[in-house]
Amino acid sequence: MNSAVSEPALIGVDWGTSSFRAFLIGAEGEVLDGVSSSDGIMHVPDQSFEAVLERLIGAWTAKKSLPILASGMITSRNGWVETPYANMPLGACGLGQRLVQYKVANGALFHFVTGASTEHVGGPDVMRGEETQIIGASALGLSEGTFVMPGTHSKWVQVADGKIVDFSTYMTGELFSALKGHTILGTLMAEGPFNQDAFEMGVKAGFGDASNLLHNLFHVRTLPLMGKIPQEATADYMSGLLIGTEVAAAMGEVEVSGEITIVGRNDLTDRYEAALRTAGLQSRRASEEIVAKGHFLIARAAGLVR
Amino acid sequence: MNSAVSEPALIGVDWGTSSFRAFLIGAEGEVLDGVSSSDGIMHVPDQSFEAVLERLIGAWTAKKSLPILASGMITSRNGWVETPYANMPLGACGLGQRLVQYKVANGALFHFVTGASTEHVGGPDVMRGEETQIIGASALGLSEGTFVMPGTHSKWVQVADGKIVDFSTYMTGELFSALKGHTILGTLMAEGPFNQDAFEMGVKAGFGDASNLLHNLFHVRTLPLMGKIPQEATADYMSGLLIGTEVAAAMGEVEVSGEITIVGRNDLTDRYEAALRTAGLQSRRASEEIVAKGHFLIARAAGLVR
């Protein structure tokens, strides 16, 4: 046996609404192999989750019986095995103690991570999947501060000593899609390259007047109507307006302490970085792949790997 | 001739995006007859506006050649004859001086009312049709104060001495539809009778924290998910949340002075009345039919009727 190549010790599955990712993880928490696909839970017909797993990670499970940890919307009411929500503060130990076990037809034992919930004035807040990413971040030395997780439902998460202490969700991404696809605002949008100026103009409008979003959105119509921004820049203006409004709201609601870490490495996280900069805030980045580190740390806390 | 029955002197047409209304108006401004239909401009195929008029008000135009005044989205770029936007302050005289004439194929002369525009920090604001309603309200003694005009795009209009002096648009109605029909928020909504408690709970959440709408909207998911409001009440909660947010934003942006008048007489205006009451504000009502009075006053200012 070549000592430089670790034996597989764990499979981590991050199974969301619209995407699937799995990692073959070694005894030191290193990622040995990975797959990703668009087989999110909303794309799986008739709850045929086992068939998806056989197709995507059957090669890993055939060789050796490995513990499998799964997180994300797969643990929701619309997923496969619904797990409860754990309360704050929440770290690797708390998640490890609350794993929900499920034996699949072929005998493999699954360990489903719970979601996390918190309670604010106005109502509860919930997450499924992001908690595992946050735990993973601490393995990279990112165990304090504010984590911004852009997406369909953006999360702003407060972390102290490697534990999640509070978080808030913002409907920003889904609202953007609904406005663009299903309101009059979309009708004055034309395709074009990313327009940084229009985006920043939107960020400033949103950040400067977050309480007026219902009115400010109408400018997404009037500005191109009056020729003040080109139609090719209108979607970027709206993107900036929504993200700027989110940043202002989050800064007002959450006590942002310590460094800000944006989770992700794509076009959307570039926009959040720019919006935070426009708001006078520095940030750093963490890869979304920290989720595999999270699977490893939770599995280790549960005694599933040494 | 029976002196109790006035001769028709004017036809007023209020032609919006989704509806059509026309009024046969007497020499004193009284409404002699009226029609309404769902032939809004977005439902008129191939710009066949003249065919719609022939079908809906052909009986009026056949008898006598009357001046026809038209207002609403029919004067927009997506309508029939695009008219410019007039600036503030704007009253019957200003609108009467700016009528845009157009002779249709059968020889009838149309007078199209201009839209109105104003400029705020952040961008321009525009209206088409509401200006004519506001002018009409002054004929009912409602010539001062704040007018709230609920709808797809709500307008809050400041009126002084019968003139429009400023206004702001809120995307509330269209946002409600897009969120209900095209986001995850709609999936936890079930049909049910109007739930006043859930609506007022939403109003309070929105009115109390308007800068946090992107986050508060997520409660439309978590409250029914956690069993805190019934699924049958979720749409009413969201309606209250959006209207409460609008009221708070409008109270912050516009200097609301004088009495508040809600224009309209339907379920939606009931909700605005309740939301204003929850916010500690009294309001009165004006019928949407004030638009016919507006047509009459603008036509008289233009010398089209005596």
Side-chain angles (χ1 to χ4, degrees):
Chain A
M1 179 187 157
N2 184 337
S3 67
V5 176
S6 176
E7 280 290 305
L10 177 72
I11 293 171
V13 177
D14 176 34
W15 206 335
T17 302
S18 57
S19 67
F20 172 99
R21 289 185 302 168
F23 304 91
L24 187 66
I25 301 167
E28 305 296 323
E30 71 277 34
V31 173
L32 304 174
D33 199 359
V35 296
S36 68
S37 84
S38 59
D39 294 275
I41 64 166
M42 65 184 278
H43 302 138
V44 176
D46 305 324
Q47 301 249 318
S48 56
F49 300 111
E50 293 184 45
V52 173
L53 288 166
E54 181 58 34
R55 171 162 52 85
L56 293 172
I57 62 167
W60 300 347
T61 52
K63 274 193 231 161
K64 186 178 171 186
S65 177
L66 294 169
I68 305 177
L69 220 74
S71 62
M73 290 300 281
I74 191 71
T75 71
S76 72
R77 199 167 301 173
N78 302 321
W80 188 4
V81 172
E82 186 177 4
T83 61
Y85 293 105
N87 293 326
M88 308 289 100
L90 190 60
C93 288
L95 287 165
Q97 286 160 7
R98 288 175 180 81
L99 291 174
V100 174
Q101 282 161 23
Y102 181 79
K103 190 170 265 189
V104 301
N106 72 3
L109 188 59
F110 266 71
H111 305 267
F112 288 96
V113 180
T114 62
S117 69
T118 185
E119 183 77 32
H120 297 132
V121 177
D125 212 323
V126 294
M127 60 166 58
R128 285 192 185 274
E130 294 91 347
E131 73 297 323
T132 304
Q133 291 181 289
I134 295 291
I135 299 308
S138 66
L140 304 174
L142 306 171
S143 56
E144 302 283 342
T146 298
F147 286 70
V148 181
M149 311 176 87
T152 306
H153 298 166
S154 291
K155 307 281 183 192
W156 286 61
V157 188
Q158 298 304 310
V159 180
D161 196 21
K163 290 181 178 163
I164 302 169
V165 292
D166 201 7
F167 64 93
S168 284
T169 302
Y170 299 84
M171 296 278 298
T172 314
E174 194 168 16
L175 190 63
F176 178 86
S177 299
L179 289 167
K180 186 175 180 203
H182 303 284
T183 73
I184 197 167
L185 301 184
T187 61
L188 289 179
M189 290 176 185
E191 292 298 316
F194 179 61
N195 188 312
Q196 184 81 30
D197 289 346
F199 177 77
E200 286 184 5
M201 184 179 161
V203 169
K204 282 174 190 155
F207 189 76
D209 194 7
S211 65
N212 223 358
L213 181 62
L214 290 171
H215 170 62
N216 288 340
L217 281 171
F218 195 61
H219 295 147
V220 177
R221 174 170 167 74
T222 59
L223 288 169
L225 185 71
M226 299 297 202
K228 305 217 169 183
I229 58 173
Q231 294 198 12
E232 292 78 13
T234 302
D236 292 324
Y237 178 82
M238 185 164 82
S239 169
L241 177 63
L242 289 170
I243 294 173
T245 301
E246 176 188 326
V247 171
M251 302 296 294
E253 191 187 8
V254 175
E255 193 186 328
V256 175
S257 54
E259 281 197 77
I260 298 178
T261 304
I262 306 177
V263 178
R265 294 207 177 277
N266 58 28
D267 164 66
L268 187 60
T269 49
D270 290 346
R271 290 176 183 231
Y272 273 74
E273 189 174 73
L276 286 166
R277 201 167 47 234
T278 301
L281 297 165
Q282 291 301 312
S283 60
R284 59 188 177 185
R285 297 275 192 112
S287 158
E288 281 189 70
E289 303 219 342
I290 54 175
V291 71
K293 294 280 182 217
H295 290 134
F296 178 75
L297 292 178
I298 295 167
R300 196 171 63 182
L304 299 174
V305 293
R306 266 167 301 167
Chain B
M1 178 187 157
N2 184 339
S3 67
V5 177
S6 176
E7 280 290 305
L10 176 72
I11 294 170
V13 177
D14 176 36
W15 206 335
T17 301
S18 56
S19 67
F20 172 99
R21 289 185 302 168
F23 304 91
L24 187 65
I25 301 167
E28 305 297 322
E30 70 277 34
V31 172
L32 305 175
D33 199 0
V35 296
S36 67
S37 84
S38 59
D39 295 274
I41 64 167
M42 66 183 278
H43 303 138
V44 176
D46 304 325
Q47 301 249 317
S48 57
F49 300 111
E50 292 184 46
V52 173
L53 288 167
E54 181 59 34
R55 170 163 53 85
L56 293 172
I57 63 166
W60 299 347
T61 52
K63 276 194 226 156
K64 188 179 170 186
S65 176
L66 293 169
I68 306 177
L69 220 74
S71 61
M73 289 299 282
I74 190 72
T75 71
S76 72
R77 200 168 300 173
N78 301 322
W80 188 4
V81 172
E82 186 178 3
T83 62
Y85 293 106
N87 293 326
M88 309 289 99
L90 189 61
C93 288
L95 287 165
Q97 287 161 6
R98 288 175 179 81
L99 292 174
V100 173
Q101 284 163 22
Y102 181 79
K103 190 170 264 188
V104 300
N106 73 2
L109 188 59
F110 266 71
H111 305 267
F112 288 96
V113 179
T114 61
S117 69
T118 184
E119 182 78 30
H120 298 132
V121 177
D125 212 323
V126 295
M127 61 166 57
R128 287 193 183 274
E130 293 91 348
E131 72 297 324
T132 303
Q133 291 181 289
I134 295 290
I135 299 307
S138 67
L140 305 174
L142 306 171
S143 56
E144 304 281 344
T146 298
F147 286 70
V148 181
M149 311 176 88
T152 307
H153 298 165
S154 290
K155 307 281 183 191
W156 286 62
V157 188
Q158 298 305 308
V159 180
D161 196 20
K163 289 181 178 161
I164 301 168
V165 293
D166 201 6
F167 63 93
S168 285
T169 302
Y170 299 84
M171 297 278 298
T172 315
E174 193 168 16
L175 190 63
F176 178 87
S177 299
L179 289 167
K180 186 176 179 202
H182 303 284
T183 74
I184 197 168
L185 302 184
T187 61
L188 289 179
M189 290 177 185
E191 292 298 315
F194 178 62
N195 187 311
Q196 183 81 29
D197 289 345
F199 177 77
E200 287 185 5
M201 184 180 161
V203 169
K204 282 173 190 156
F207 189 75
D209 194 7
S211 64
N212 223 358
L213 181 61
L214 290 171
H215 170 62
N216 288 338
L217 281 171
F218 195 61
H219 295 146
V220 177
R221 174 168 168 74
T222 58
L223 288 169
L225 185 71
M226 299 295 202
K228 305 219 169 180
I229 59 175
Q231 294 199 12
E232 293 76 14
T234 304
D236 292 325
Y237 178 81
M238 185 165 81
S239 170
L241 176 63
L242 289 170
I243 295 173
T245 302
E246 175 189 327
V247 170
M251 302 296 293
E253 191 189 9
V254 175
E255 194 186 331
V256 174
S257 53
E259 281 197 77
I260 297 177
T261 305
I262 306 176
V263 178
R265 291 205 179 280
N266 58 29
D267 163 66
L268 187 59
T269 49
D270 290 346
R271 290 176 181 231
Y272 273 74
E273 191 174 73
L276 287 166
R277 199 167 49 235
T278 301
L281 298 165
Q282 292 300 311
S283 60
R284 58 190 178 186
R285 296 275 193 111
S287 158
E288 281 190 71
E289 302 219 342
I290 54 175
V291 70
K293 294 282 182 214
H295 289 134
F296 178 75
L297 293 177
I298 295 167
R300 196 170 65 182
L304 298 174
V305 294
R306 264 167 304 168

